[in-house]
Amino acid sequence: MWRDLTLGMVLLLAASAAPVGAGEAFVTDQPGEQVVIVDTASMEKLATIAVAGEPAGIAVSADGARAYVTSPEGKMLTVIDAEHRKILRQIKLEGGPLGVAVHPSGHPVYVADWYSKRLLALDPEDKMPARTAMVGTSPSGVAVTPDGAFVLTADRDDNAVSVVDAATLDRVAVIPVGIRPFGITIDADGRRAYTANVGSNTVTIIDLTARQVIGTVKVGLRPYAVALAHGKVFVTNQYGSSITVFDTATLKVLKTIEVGEYPEGISPSRDGNHVYVASWFANALSMIDTETLKVVKEVNVGDGPRAFGQFIR
């Protein structure tokens, strides 16, 4: 499965960048070794960027200027100029880089090393050496609080979440959650975090001020990732080929939405009116209306879309 890698080349399917204000989804196709860019309104493919090393994780910066892609097999972080659809650099890493998130200021970029107990803080310009925070076993998802003060990792094999001080990179708290947490998401207020627990088919809700669990919701089979929009939580259920939706206030399950086979990555639009779901076995990106809770559009995005992280620009 491991292979020699070459620098990804860019293949443009559109003559120019999308207009200012248009939403775009940057979807990693892991076995397809590419990032597919989709217009979030029309759900038409705009461009494809070849990225070696079986890309999986994705994080788009808050200003939309950069997309950061992890390749666990290729052991690297690829930095993409999101507007001009070109690879700027590829930063070689050790271990198994998977989860990725960007500080609200645009730097550093945080990458979880799946094969080790560490979180890397990387200079996106690759001019400074990486710094390291020690976390739990097999860190997967990564999330940064809106104020940039803390970074959270979902430590899958420790059944816990690590809280890391962003300034010092000290591990300041460990919070037990469900079995095998994978995806982790923080709300816009920085008050709560949500983990998708693959092993217990649950989502754990964490009060970040108290640093303790305040709720658990039973969802579908093999929950993978979480998105938040308009007071609702959307959870991808890999083995259920579905999305569980529950209310953030009452924690009551509102609906189960059928999507493509083996859904993984999920992200909301910036206005919260839609969430977008990448289904690995279906090779599809689905668009869900967050009010009607129905799939309204779908597009084929190539071989094995994973889109693990914040992939909406």
Side-chain angles (χ1 to χ4, degrees), residues 74-109:
K75 299 176 182 285
M76 64 186 173
L77 177 74
T78 298
V79 182
I80 296 173
D81 180 326
E83 180 180 357
H84 297 99
R85 327 298 204 203
K86 67 178 182 179
I87 293 176
L88 298 177
R89 65 191 58 87
Q90 292 180 308
I91 302 172
K92 296 298 295 182
L93 302 171
E94 298 296 326
L98 180 57
V100 56
V102 188
H103 191 276
S105 67
H107 60 84
V109 177

Side-chain angles (χ1 to χ4, degrees), residues 18-59:
V20 174
E24 296 175 344
F26 280 61
V27 180
T28 53
D29 285 349
Q30 190 166 24
E33 298 203 315
Q34 62 184 4
V35 173
V36 178
I37 304 171
V38 176
D39 183 286
T40 56
S42 67
M43 292 291 278
E44 295 178 355
K45 289 188 284 187
L46 300 174
T48 300
I49 303 172
V51 178
E54 300 192 14
I58 176 78

